[in-house]
Amino acid sequence: MIPAEVAPDSLRVSRVLTATEAEGPGRRTAIWVQGCTIRCRGCFNPHMWAADGATVVPVREWTASLLDAARAARVEGITLLGGEPFEQAAPLAYVASAAREQGVSVMTFTGYEYRDLLAWSDTRADIRALLENTDLLADGPYEADNLDPTRPWIGSTNQQLRALTGRYRHLDFVTTPDRLEIRVDADGSVAVNGWQALDALDELLEGLGTRADRPRTR
Ligand code: SF4
């Protein structure tokens, strides 16, 4: 359970993918939240920087239906990314806590560094609650000049993968394969998630149509 002083009300969500194998260990529901003030150069999701836009949802009702869909899709966990999850720490702590109460694991991506989050958590119950309800944390800003070609899910060598609970302590973050998913909808639009360098993505998607027809998600 999350502490009483963390009182979630609404959450600003950019995108949900009910089942993916490209955003963390196993099959997961990925939730991209809206708003990020970190603004890394080369970020794949600059359309998720603005604090307004996207969709505001009532967090309790939305979480219940999200977890119903996740269970139906037989996922092992949810992944929080964006956007910056710790800039909406209170509602996401609620989402993460509700997931873990149902045995669903939680992976959280953040552009902040773990040591800073820990320091802030002394006075910020919402940050503390989201950290306490995260099983696997990917932390640190994306550095376009320091691409990481070896570890899964993350983009640059400065970023760290940390098992904050025992749930994923067994994982080998060096030999676990990275994944890239490409979805083609019935209307012909193409969506990409997972991780790949921009040049390699451009090469991969060459011939699929104009860039305006290819929303990129991370
Ligand atoms: S990479 Fe992540 S932390 Fe960095 S600007 Fe993009 S959304 Fe924000």
Side-chain angles (χ1 to χ4, degrees), residues 133-148:
N133 284 285
T134 292
D135 296 295
L136 182 60
L137 184 75
D139 70 297
Y142 172 61
E143 294 180 354
D145 294 333
N146 296 312
L147 297 185
D148 187 331

Side-chain angles (χ1 to χ4, degrees), residues 32-33 35-46 48-49 81-85 87 109-112 140-143 159 218:
W32 285 263
V33 296
C36 179
T37 59
I38 301 174
R39 311 205 164 183
C40 310
R41 184 172 60 81
C43 169
F44 275 17
N45 284 337
M48 296 182 193
W49 287 357
L81 63 173
E84 174 48 54
E87 291 180 7
F109 283 83
T110 177
Y112 293 111
Y142 172 61
E143 294 180 354
Q159 295 174 316
R218 182 158 74 82

